[in-house]
Protein backbone atom coordinates (compact mmCIF):
# COMPACT_ATOMS: atom_id res chain seq x y z
CA UNK A 1 0.00 0.00 0.00
CA UNK A 2 1.26 3.51 -0.76
CA UNK A 3 1.83 6.09 1.95
CA UNK A 4 -0.02 9.37 1.68
CA UNK A 5 2.19 11.78 -0.25
CA UNK A 6 4.82 9.16 -1.06
CA UNK A 7 7.19 9.53 -3.98
CA UNK A 8 6.44 7.12 -6.82
CA UNK A 9 10.10 6.08 -6.80
CA UNK A 10 9.84 5.32 -3.09
CA UNK A 11 6.84 3.05 -3.63
CA UNK A 12 8.68 1.21 -6.41
CA UNK A 13 11.64 0.63 -4.06
CA UNK A 14 9.33 -0.73 -1.35
CA UNK A 15 7.56 -2.97 -3.87
CA UNK A 16 10.93 -4.35 -4.94
CA UNK A 17 11.79 -5.03 -1.31
CA UNK A 18 8.49 -6.88 -0.85
CA UNK A 19 9.34 -9.11 -3.81
CA UNK A 20 12.86 -9.62 -2.49
CA UNK A 21 14.38 -7.98 -5.56
CA UNK A 22 16.81 -5.08 -6.02
CA UNK A 23 15.12 -1.83 -7.05
CA UNK A 24 17.22 -1.74 -10.24
CA UNK A 25 15.74 -5.06 -11.31
CA UNK A 26 12.17 -3.86 -10.89
CA UNK A 27 12.90 -0.60 -12.71
CA UNK A 28 13.58 -2.64 -15.85
CA UNK A 29 9.80 -2.94 -16.20
CA UNK A 30 9.89 0.61 -17.58
CA UNK A 31 11.95 2.19 -20.32
CA UNK A 32 13.76 5.05 -18.56
CA UNK A 33 14.68 7.94 -20.83
CA UNK A 34 17.30 9.43 -18.50
CA UNK A 35 19.21 8.79 -15.28
CA UNK A 36 18.34 9.85 -11.73
CA UNK A 37 20.14 12.73 -10.03
CA UNK A 38 23.08 11.63 -7.91
CA UNK A 39 24.96 12.96 -4.92
CA UNK A 40 28.56 14.09 -5.16
CA UNK A 41 29.55 10.71 -3.76
CA UNK A 42 27.90 8.93 -6.70
CA UNK A 43 24.86 7.51 -4.91
CA UNK A 44 21.36 8.18 -6.17
CA UNK A 45 19.64 11.07 -4.41
CA UNK A 46 16.85 10.00 -2.10
CA UNK A 47 14.52 12.63 -3.55
CA UNK A 48 14.92 11.36 -7.14
CA UNK A 49 11.36 11.04 -8.43
CA UNK A 50 10.05 9.04 -11.37
CA UNK A 51 7.23 10.12 -13.69
CA UNK A 52 5.33 7.46 -15.66
CA UNK A 53 3.24 7.47 -18.80
CA UNK A 54 -0.21 5.88 -18.95
CA UNK A 55 1.14 2.41 -19.74
CA UNK A 56 3.75 2.79 -17.02
CA UNK A 57 1.08 3.60 -14.42
CA UNK A 58 -0.77 0.42 -15.30
CA UNK A 59 2.43 -1.58 -14.74
CA UNK A 60 2.92 0.00 -11.29
CA UNK A 61 -0.68 -0.74 -10.30
CA UNK A 62 -0.24 -4.37 -11.31
CA UNK A 63 3.11 -4.57 -9.52
CA UNK A 64 1.62 -3.29 -6.25
CA UNK A 65 -1.76 -5.00 -6.76
CA UNK A 66 -3.44 -1.71 -5.95
CA UNK A 67 -6.11 0.04 -8.00
CA UNK A 68 -4.81 2.99 -10.07
CA UNK A 69 -7.38 5.28 -8.41
CA UNK A 70 -5.83 4.50 -5.00
CA UNK A 71 -2.34 5.24 -6.31
CA UNK A 72 -3.57 8.50 -7.85
CA UNK A 73 -4.92 9.68 -4.50
CA UNK A 74 -1.78 8.75 -2.58
CA UNK A 75 1.05 9.57 -4.99
CA UNK A 76 1.33 13.26 -6.00
CA UNK A 77 3.49 12.39 -9.04
CA UNK A 78 1.37 9.45 -10.26
CA UNK A 79 -0.78 11.52 -12.62
CA UNK A 80 1.92 14.01 -13.65
CA UNK A 81 2.35 13.97 -17.41
CA UNK A 82 5.72 14.43 -19.04
CA UNK A 83 5.56 15.37 -22.75
CA UNK A 84 8.86 13.61 -23.42
CA UNK A 85 7.38 10.20 -22.60
CA UNK A 86 3.64 10.63 -23.27
CA UNK A 87 3.77 11.86 -26.89
CA UNK A 88 6.43 9.62 -28.44
CA UNK A 89 5.60 6.84 -30.87
CA UNK A 90 6.15 4.16 -28.21
CA UNK A 91 3.47 5.62 -25.93
CA UNK A 92 1.86 2.18 -25.61
CA UNK A 93 5.01 0.91 -23.93
CA UNK A 94 5.60 1.52 -20.19
CA UNK A 95 8.00 4.44 -19.99
CA UNK A 96 9.46 6.57 -17.21
CA UNK A 97 11.51 9.69 -16.72
CA UNK A 98 13.54 10.74 -13.69
CA UNK A 99 13.04 14.17 -12.20
CA UNK A 100 13.81 15.96 -8.93
CA UNK A 101 10.97 15.73 -6.41
CA UNK A 102 10.98 19.49 -5.85
CA UNK A 103 10.36 20.08 -9.55
CA UNK A 104 7.40 17.68 -9.58
CA UNK A 105 5.45 18.67 -6.47
CA UNK A 106 7.21 20.08 -3.40
CA UNK A 107 9.98 19.37 -0.90
CA UNK A 108 10.61 15.73 -0.07
CA UNK A 109 11.60 14.30 3.30
CA UNK A 110 12.24 10.87 4.74
CA UNK A 111 9.19 9.19 6.23
CA UNK A 112 9.23 7.92 9.81
CA UNK A 113 10.24 4.26 9.59
CA UNK A 114 8.12 3.32 12.59
CA UNK A 115 5.04 4.89 11.00
CA UNK A 116 5.89 3.20 7.69
CA UNK A 117 6.08 -0.18 9.44
CA UNK A 118 2.79 0.47 11.22
CA UNK A 119 1.10 1.36 7.92
CA UNK A 120 2.69 -1.14 5.52
CA UNK A 121 4.39 -3.83 7.60
CA UNK A 122 7.78 -2.84 6.14
CA UNK A 123 10.52 -1.28 8.26
CA UNK A 124 12.27 0.22 5.26
CA UNK A 125 13.17 3.66 4.00
CA UNK A 126 10.37 5.66 2.44
CA UNK A 127 10.31 9.21 1.09
CA UNK A 128 7.29 11.49 1.13
CA UNK A 129 6.38 14.96 -0.06
CA UNK A 130 6.33 16.88 3.21
CA UNK A 131 6.21 20.65 3.67
CA UNK A 132 8.62 22.04 6.22
CA UNK A 133 5.83 22.79 8.70
CA UNK A 134 4.86 19.10 8.92
CA UNK A 135 8.25 17.57 9.68
CA UNK A 136 7.56 16.45 13.26
CA UNK A 137 6.35 12.88 13.81
CA UNK A 138 4.41 13.55 17.00
CA UNK A 139 3.79 9.86 17.65
CA UNK A 140 7.47 8.91 17.75
CA UNK A 141 9.11 12.27 18.56
CA UNK A 142 11.19 12.62 15.40
CA UNK A 143 12.13 15.43 13.03
CA UNK A 144 12.03 14.14 9.45
CA UNK A 145 14.99 15.45 7.47
CA UNK A 146 15.19 16.69 3.88
CA UNK A 147 15.74 13.89 1.38
CA UNK A 148 17.79 15.97 -1.08
CA UNK A 149 20.90 16.29 1.10
CA UNK A 150 23.97 14.06 0.94
CA UNK A 151 24.07 12.96 4.57
CA UNK A 152 23.28 9.63 6.33
CA UNK A 153 20.51 10.60 8.76
CA UNK A 154 16.78 10.21 8.07
CA UNK A 155 15.51 11.83 11.25
CA UNK A 156 16.58 13.57 14.45
CA UNK A 157 15.43 12.46 17.89
CA UNK A 158 13.21 15.07 19.56
CA UNK A 159 12.62 13.29 22.86
CA UNK A 160 14.96 15.70 24.63
CA UNK A 161 13.26 18.78 23.17
CA UNK A 162 9.50 18.47 23.84
CA UNK A 163 9.03 22.14 22.92
CA UNK A 164 9.62 21.23 19.26
CA UNK A 165 6.84 18.61 19.33
CA UNK A 166 4.58 21.09 21.14
CA UNK A 167 5.26 23.66 18.39
CA UNK A 168 4.03 21.17 15.78
CA UNK A 169 0.71 20.97 17.60
CA UNK A 170 0.57 24.76 17.91
CA UNK A 171 1.13 25.21 14.19
CA UNK A 172 -2.31 23.77 13.44
CA UNK A 173 -3.93 26.73 15.19
CA UNK A 174 -1.58 29.19 13.52
CA UNK A 175 -2.44 27.77 10.09
CA UNK A 176 -6.16 28.20 10.81
CA UNK A 177 -5.50 31.78 11.88
CA UNK A 178 -3.68 32.39 8.59
CA UNK A 179 -6.66 31.14 6.60
CA UNK A 180 -8.97 33.44 8.53
CA UNK A 181 -6.60 36.31 7.73
CA UNK A 182 -6.83 35.44 4.01
CA UNK A 183 -3.18 34.40 3.94
CA UNK A 184 -1.64 31.22 2.59
CA UNK A 185 -0.30 29.21 5.59
CA UNK A 186 2.69 28.08 3.56
CA UNK A 187 3.69 31.64 2.75
CA UNK A 188 3.29 32.71 6.37
CA UNK A 189 5.50 29.85 7.51
CA UNK A 190 8.11 30.55 4.81
CA UNK A 191 8.37 34.19 5.88
CA UNK A 192 8.63 33.34 9.58
CA UNK A 193 11.21 30.66 8.78
CA UNK A 194 13.30 33.16 6.81
CA UNK A 195 13.16 35.65 9.69
CA UNK A 196 14.27 33.13 12.32
CA UNK A 197 16.86 31.45 10.06
CA UNK A 198 18.46 34.88 9.66
CA UNK A 199 18.59 35.19 13.45
CA UNK A 200 20.13 31.71 13.58
CA UNK A 201 22.98 32.80 11.30
CA UNK A 202 23.75 35.70 13.64
CA UNK A 203 23.23 33.82 16.90
CA UNK A 204 26.89 32.81 17.22
CA UNK A 205 27.64 36.47 17.94
CA UNK A 206 24.91 36.87 20.58
CA UNK A 207 26.26 36.36 24.07
CA UNK A 208 22.72 36.42 25.49
CA UNK A 209 21.56 33.47 23.36
CA UNK A 210 21.34 30.38 25.56
CA UNK A 211 18.26 28.52 24.31
CA UNK A 212 19.45 27.40 20.89
CA UNK A 213 22.89 26.04 21.93
CA UNK A 214 21.33 23.78 24.58
CA UNK A 215 18.60 22.66 22.19
CA UNK A 216 21.11 21.92 19.42
CA UNK A 217 23.26 19.77 21.69
CA UNK A 218 20.21 17.77 22.78
CA UNK A 219 19.13 17.24 19.17
CA UNK A 220 22.69 16.11 18.38
CA UNK A 221 22.42 13.35 20.97
CA UNK A 222 23.83 15.25 23.92
CA UNK A 223 26.84 17.07 22.51
CA UNK A 224 27.55 18.37 19.01
CA UNK A 225 31.25 18.15 19.85
CA UNK A 226 33.84 18.85 17.14
CA UNK A 227 31.15 18.63 14.41
CA UNK A 228 29.36 21.76 15.61
CA UNK A 229 29.42 23.35 12.15
CA UNK A 230 27.84 20.24 10.60
CA UNK A 231 25.20 20.01 13.30
CA UNK A 232 24.34 23.70 12.93
CA UNK A 233 23.39 22.93 9.33
CA UNK A 234 21.58 19.62 9.87
CA UNK A 235 19.89 20.63 13.13
CA UNK A 236 18.89 24.19 12.23
CA UNK A 237 15.27 23.61 11.23
CA UNK A 238 14.18 21.50 14.23
CA UNK A 239 16.07 23.74 16.67
CA UNK A 240 14.44 26.96 15.43
CA UNK A 241 10.99 25.44 14.79
CA UNK A 242 9.36 26.69 18.06
CA UNK A 243 10.52 30.23 17.32
CA UNK A 244 9.32 29.99 13.70
CA UNK A 245 5.81 29.05 14.87
CA UNK A 246 5.88 31.85 17.47
CA UNK A 247 6.96 34.44 14.87
CA UNK A 248 4.29 33.26 12.41
CA UNK A 249 1.68 33.60 15.15
CA UNK A 250 2.94 37.10 16.00
CA UNK A 251 2.91 38.32 12.39
CA UNK A 252 -0.73 37.25 12.09
CA UNK A 253 -1.73 39.10 15.27
CA UNK A 254 -3.62 42.36 14.49
CA UNK A 255 -2.29 43.85 17.73
CA UNK A 256 1.29 43.33 16.49
CA UNK A 257 0.42 44.91 13.15
CA UNK A 258 -0.90 47.92 15.04
CA UNK A 259 2.45 48.24 16.82
CA UNK A 260 4.19 48.38 13.43
CA UNK A 261 1.83 51.18 12.40
CA UNK A 262 2.54 53.16 15.57
CA UNK A 263 6.30 52.67 15.28
CA UNK A 264 6.13 54.14 11.77
CA UNK A 265 4.52 57.31 13.12
CA UNK A 266 1.01 56.35 12.01
CA UNK A 267 -0.34 59.39 10.18
CA UNK A 268 2.94 61.29 10.64
CA UNK A 269 5.57 59.11 8.92
CA UNK A 270 8.97 58.67 10.52
CA UNK A 271 11.85 56.15 10.25
CA UNK A 272 11.33 52.95 12.20
CA UNK A 273 13.16 53.31 15.54
CA UNK A 274 15.71 50.81 16.82
CA UNK A 275 13.76 50.55 20.09
CA UNK A 276 10.34 50.18 18.45
CA UNK A 277 7.51 48.54 20.34
CA UNK A 278 6.90 45.91 17.64
CA UNK A 279 10.41 44.43 17.60
CA UNK A 280 10.63 44.63 21.38
CA UNK A 281 7.35 42.74 21.73
CA UNK A 282 8.39 40.22 19.07
CA UNK A 283 11.54 39.45 21.03
CA UNK A 284 9.46 38.88 24.15
CA UNK A 285 7.15 36.49 22.29
CA UNK A 286 10.09 34.28 21.34
CA UNK A 287 11.44 34.35 24.90
CA UNK A 288 14.24 36.83 24.24
CA UNK A 289 13.55 40.26 25.67
CA UNK A 290 16.94 41.50 24.45
CA UNK A 291 16.35 40.61 20.80
CA UNK A 292 14.21 43.63 19.82
CA UNK A 293 16.96 46.18 19.05
CA UNK A 294 18.98 43.58 17.11
CA UNK A 295 16.07 42.61 14.85
CA UNK A 296 15.05 46.25 14.36
CA UNK A 297 18.32 47.14 12.63
CA UNK A 298 18.48 44.09 10.35
CA UNK A 299 18.17 46.23 7.24
CA UNK A 300 17.46 44.25 4.09
CA UNK A 301 16.09 41.32 6.08
CA UNK A 302 12.66 39.73 5.58
CA UNK A 303 11.26 41.14 8.84
CA UNK A 304 11.77 44.80 7.89
CA UNK A 305 10.52 44.03 4.38
CA UNK A 306 7.31 42.65 5.89
CA UNK A 307 6.98 45.70 8.13
CA UNK A 308 7.42 48.01 5.15
CA UNK A 309 4.69 46.19 3.20
CA UNK A 310 2.32 46.41 6.17
CA UNK A 311 2.95 50.16 6.50
CA UNK A 312 2.42 50.75 2.77
CA UNK A 313 -0.84 48.84 2.87
CA UNK A 314 -2.03 50.84 5.86
CA UNK A 315 -1.18 54.13 4.18
CA UNK A 316 -2.61 53.09 0.84
CA UNK A 317 0.67 53.87 -0.91
CA UNK A 318 1.14 50.55 -2.61
CA UNK A 319 0.03 51.60 -6.09
CA UNK A 320 -1.35 48.94 -8.44
CA UNK A 321 -1.85 45.50 -6.88
CA UNK A 322 1.31 43.44 -7.07
CA UNK A 323 3.79 41.40 -5.09
CA UNK A 324 5.31 44.52 -3.45
CA UNK A 325 2.00 45.02 -1.63
CA UNK A 326 1.83 41.43 -0.40
CA UNK A 327 3.48 41.29 3.03
CA UNK A 328 3.77 37.50 2.79
CA UNK A 329 5.73 37.48 -0.43
CA UNK A 330 9.31 36.38 0.29
CA UNK A 331 12.01 37.64 -2.04
CA UNK A 332 14.28 35.03 -3.55
CA UNK A 333 17.40 36.65 -2.10
CA UNK A 334 15.87 36.51 1.38
CA UNK A 335 15.15 32.77 1.29
CA UNK A 336 17.45 30.89 3.69
CA UNK A 337 19.95 28.40 2.32
CA UNK A 338 18.78 24.79 2.34
CA UNK A 339 20.49 22.03 4.27
CA UNK A 340 21.61 20.37 1.03
CA UNK A 341 23.10 23.59 -0.31
CA UNK A 342 24.99 24.32 2.90
CA UNK A 343 26.37 20.79 3.09
CA UNK A 344 27.59 21.01 -0.51
CA UNK A 345 29.39 24.27 0.29
CA UNK A 346 30.94 22.72 3.40
CA UNK A 347 32.12 19.67 1.45
CA UNK A 348 33.67 21.86 -1.26
CA UNK A 349 35.45 23.98 1.34
CA UNK A 350 36.86 20.93 3.10
CA UNK A 351 38.16 19.42 -0.15
CA UNK A 352 40.19 22.52 -1.00
CA UNK A 353 43.76 22.28 0.25
CA UNK A 354 46.42 24.64 1.57
CA UNK A 355 45.77 28.35 1.27
CA UNK A 356 42.69 27.66 -0.87
CA UNK A 357 40.76 26.36 2.12
CA UNK A 358 37.75 28.39 3.21
CA UNK A 359 38.11 30.35 6.46
CA UNK A 360 34.74 29.22 7.86
CA UNK A 361 35.51 25.58 7.06
CA UNK A 362 38.95 25.42 8.68
CA UNK A 363 38.51 27.76 11.66
CA UNK A 364 36.01 26.61 14.27
CA UNK A 365 32.96 28.73 15.04
CA UNK A 366 34.17 29.26 18.61
CA UNK A 367 37.60 30.45 17.41
CA UNK A 368 36.02 32.85 14.90
CA UNK A 369 33.71 34.18 17.59
CA UNK A 370 36.63 34.80 19.98
CA UNK A 371 38.50 36.78 17.33
CA UNK A 372 35.44 38.88 16.47
CA UNK A 373 34.72 39.44 20.15
CA UNK A 374 38.25 40.74 20.81
CA UNK A 375 38.03 43.09 17.83
CA UNK A 376 34.65 44.35 19.00
CA UNK A 377 35.90 44.98 22.55
CA UNK A 378 38.90 46.88 21.17
CA UNK A 379 36.56 49.03 19.11
CA UNK A 380 34.49 49.80 22.19
CA UNK A 381 37.59 50.90 24.08
CA UNK A 382 38.57 53.25 21.25
CA UNK A 383 35.09 54.71 20.87
CA UNK A 384 35.18 55.76 24.52
CA UNK A 385 38.16 58.03 23.75
CA UNK A 386 36.10 60.48 21.73
CA UNK A 387 36.04 63.90 23.35
CA UNK A 388 38.44 63.11 26.21
CA UNK A 389 40.94 65.85 25.35
CA UNK A 390 39.68 68.24 28.00
CA UNK A 391 40.75 68.27 31.62
CA UNK A 392 44.06 68.12 33.41
CA UNK A 393 47.03 66.57 31.69
CA UNK A 394 47.12 63.71 34.18
CA UNK A 395 43.40 62.90 33.76
CA UNK A 396 43.51 62.94 29.96
CA UNK A 397 46.76 60.98 29.79
CA UNK A 398 45.46 58.36 32.22
CA UNK A 399 42.22 57.88 30.28
CA UNK A 400 43.97 57.69 26.92
CA UNK A 401 46.71 55.32 28.05
CA UNK A 402 44.39 52.95 29.94
CA UNK A 403 41.98 52.59 27.02
CA UNK A 404 44.74 52.44 24.42
CA UNK A 405 46.65 49.77 26.34
CA UNK A 406 43.49 47.63 26.68
CA UNK A 407 42.77 48.03 22.97
CA UNK A 408 46.35 47.18 22.07
CA UNK A 409 46.27 44.04 24.23
CA UNK A 410 43.01 42.89 22.61
CA UNK A 411 44.31 43.60 19.09
CA UNK A 412 47.55 41.74 19.87
CA UNK A 413 45.56 38.68 20.99
CA UNK A 414 43.32 38.86 17.92
CA UNK A 415 46.42 39.19 15.70
CA UNK A 416 48.08 36.15 17.22
CA UNK A 417 44.94 34.00 17.09
CA UNK A 418 44.26 34.96 13.46
CA UNK A 419 47.82 34.28 12.38
CA UNK A 420 47.88 30.91 14.13
CA UNK A 421 44.56 29.95 12.55
CA UNK A 422 45.85 30.86 9.08
CA UNK A 423 49.00 28.77 9.49
CA UNK A 424 47.01 25.84 10.87
CA UNK A 425 44.72 26.04 7.84
CA UNK A 426 47.66 25.60 5.48
CA UNK A 427 48.66 29.14 4.56
CA UNK A 428 52.42 29.44 4.13
CA UNK A 429 54.18 30.55 7.32
CA UNK A 430 56.29 33.04 5.37
CA UNK A 431 53.18 34.76 3.98
CA UNK A 432 51.49 34.96 7.39
CA UNK A 433 54.73 36.28 8.89
CA UNK A 434 54.88 39.07 6.30
CA UNK A 435 51.23 40.01 6.82
CA UNK A 436 51.31 39.95 10.62
CA UNK A 437 54.94 41.10 11.12
CA UNK A 438 55.44 38.17 13.48
CA UNK A 439 58.72 36.19 13.25
CA UNK A 440 58.46 32.78 11.60
CA UNK A 441 59.76 30.94 14.65
CA UNK A 442 57.12 32.58 16.87
CA UNK A 443 54.37 31.50 14.49
CA UNK A 444 55.64 27.92 14.55
CA UNK A 445 55.52 27.94 18.35
CA UNK A 446 51.98 29.36 18.36
CA UNK A 447 50.71 26.63 16.05
CA UNK A 448 52.31 23.90 18.18
CA UNK A 449 50.72 25.35 21.34
CA UNK A 450 47.17 25.41 19.97
CA UNK A 451 44.57 28.20 20.14
CA UNK A 452 43.80 27.70 23.84
CA UNK A 453 47.37 28.60 24.85
CA UNK A 454 47.91 31.71 22.68
Amino acid sequence: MPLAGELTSSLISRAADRYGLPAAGVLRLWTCRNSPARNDGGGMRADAEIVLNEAGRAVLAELCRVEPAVLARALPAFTVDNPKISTVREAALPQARWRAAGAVAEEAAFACRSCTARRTGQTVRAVRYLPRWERVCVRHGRWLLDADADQPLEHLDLRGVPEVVAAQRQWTGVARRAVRAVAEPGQVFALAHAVVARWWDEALHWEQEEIWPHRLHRVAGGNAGPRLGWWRIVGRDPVIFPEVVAVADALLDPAMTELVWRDSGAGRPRPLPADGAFCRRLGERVGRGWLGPLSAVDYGGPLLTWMGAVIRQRRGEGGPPGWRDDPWRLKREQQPATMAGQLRVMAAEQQAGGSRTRWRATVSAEHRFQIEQMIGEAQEQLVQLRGVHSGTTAEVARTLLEHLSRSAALIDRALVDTAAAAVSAGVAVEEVSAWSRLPVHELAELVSEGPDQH
Side-chain angles (χ1 to χ4, degrees):
M1 291 296 296
L3 298 170
E6 188 173 10
L7 272 65
T8 303
S9 58
S10 173
L11 177 61
I12 292 174
S13 296
R14 290 198 301 107
D17 181 79
R18 180 71 79 181
Y19 282 104
L21 297 171
V26 173
L27 285 169
R28 293 194 183 98
L29 295 172
W30 297 271
T31 300
C32 294
R33 296 293 180 178
N34 63 342
S35 300
R38 297 188 176 275
N39 294 313
D40 293 338
M44 190 175 78
R45 275 177 41 168
D47 72 327
E49 178 61 297
I50 196 165
V51 176
L52 308 174
N53 66 351
E54 189 65 32
R57 295 168 199 152
V59 170
L60 180 59
E62 183 178 358
L63 178 72
C64 298
R65 299 178 185 176
V66 176
E67 292 295 325
V70 176
L71 295 178
R73 287 194 298 269
L75 307 178
F78 187 72
T79 57
V80 173
D81 287 322
N82 190 311
K84 294 185 178 180
I85 60 175
S86 60
T87 60
V88 296
R89 289 178 298 175
E90 300 88 356
L93 300 176
Q95 299 183 64
R97 189 168 185 85
W98 289 99
R99 295 182 62 186
V104 176
E106 58 180 329
E107 298 169 328
F110 294 104
C112 173
R113 289 207 181 204
S114 298
C115 290
T116 301
R118 185 171 177 266
R119 165 72 172 153
T120 67
Q122 292 176 277
T123 309
V124 296
R125 190 185 80 174
V127 184
R128 299 172 57 200
Y129 290 102
L130 275 179
R132 204 164 297 277
W133 55 87
E134 294 180 0
R135 294 297 179 85
V136 177
C137 174
V138 177
R139 180 186 296 273
H140 299 103
R142 294 172 175 173
W143 179 272
L144 308 176
L145 290 167
D146 295 345
D148 62 342
D150 188 7
Q151 57 86 31
L153 302 179
E154 294 181 16
H155 70 268
L156 299 179
D157 193 341
L158 301 178
R159 287 176 293 182
V161 283
E163 63 270 28
V164 179
V165 179
Q168 181 68 81
R169 296 190 176 97
Q170 294 164 5
W171 168 251
T172 303
V174 176
R176 286 197 297 264
R177 197 169 300 119
V179 173
R180 290 197 297 269
V182 197
E184 173 61 38
Q187 285 188 313
V188 175
F189 183 90
L191 178 63
H193 181 262
V195 171
V196 182
R198 197 171 174 97
W199 292 346
W200 172 261
D201 291 338
E202 300 295 329
L204 281 175
H205 312 300
W206 296 344
E207 295 183 11
Q208 305 96 318
E209 180 55 53
E210 298 178 352
I211 299 174
W212 281 342
H214 292 298
R215 195 181 292 164
L216 179 62
H217 286 302
R218 291 197 295 269
V219 166
N223 187 358
R227 302 186 69 195
L228 178 62
W230 188 87
W231 276 110
R232 275 186 56 82
I233 295 173
V234 175
R236 179 195 66 183
D237 286 350
V239 169
I240 69 175
F241 188 64
E243 286 74 18
V244 172
V245 174
V247 169
D249 188 35
L251 299 183
L252 289 166
D253 189 346
M256 295 292 287
T257 305
E258 183 65 25
L259 292 179
V260 175
W261 177 241
R262 293 179 184 176
D263 287 342
S264 70
R268 307 178 70 178
R270 67 180 181 188
L272 291 170
D275 59 346
F278 169 79
C279 289
R280 184 170 62 251
R281 179 62 182 138
L282 183 63
E284 293 171 356
R285 290 183 70 149
V286 296
R288 296 162 176 82
W290 45 266
L291 181 58
L294 295 176
S295 59
V297 295
D298 184 18
Y299 305 112
L303 182 61
L304 290 187
T305 300
W306 176 86
M307 295 170 68
V310 168
I311 294 168
R312 287 195 302 272
Q313 277 190 342
R314 189 71 175 266
R315 290 178 181 158
E317 299 176 353
W323 68 266
R324 289 189 72 254
D325 304 318
D326 183 3
W328 308 112
R329 180 68 176 263
L330 183 64
K331 297 179 181 179
R332 181 180 296 274
E333 62 269 21
Q334 293 176 342
Q335 296 175 3
T338 63
M339 178 176 72
Q342 293 181 85
L343 289 177
R344 282 195 294 270
V345 171
M346 174 178 282
E349 290 175 342
Q350 291 174 342
Q351 288 175 359
S355 60
R356 295 185 60 203
T357 56
R358 305 292 294 183
W359 179 260
R360 292 177 63 88
T362 53
V363 182
S364 69
E366 293 87 348
H367 197 171
R368 298 197 309 269
F369 174 74
Q370 289 173 358
I371 294 173
E372 292 178 0
Q373 190 176 38
M374 286 185 285
I375 295 173
E377 290 178 3
Q379 290 175 329
E380 292 178 4
Q381 293 290 331
L382 294 174
V383 167
Q384 295 178 27
L385 295 179
R386 292 178 179 173
V388 300
H389 297 277
S390 60
T392 65
T393 302
E395 291 172 345
V396 174
R398 177 183 176 183
T399 303
L400 284 171
L401 292 173
E402 286 182 348
H403 284 76
L404 288 172
S405 63
R406 292 187 194 128
S407 297
L410 290 166
I411 291 298
D412 283 343
R413 288 172 54 195
L415 173 70
V416 169
D417 277 10
T418 303
V423 174
S424 299
V427 182
V429 177
E430 293 77 13
E431 291 185 349
V432 177
S433 174
W435 299 334
S436 63
R437 299 184 181 180
L438 292 173
V440 173
H441 69 276
E442 288 188 14
L443 283 173
E445 293 177 0
L446 291 172
V447 174
S448 64
E449 290 176 354
D452 295 336
Q453 304 299 323
H454 295 164

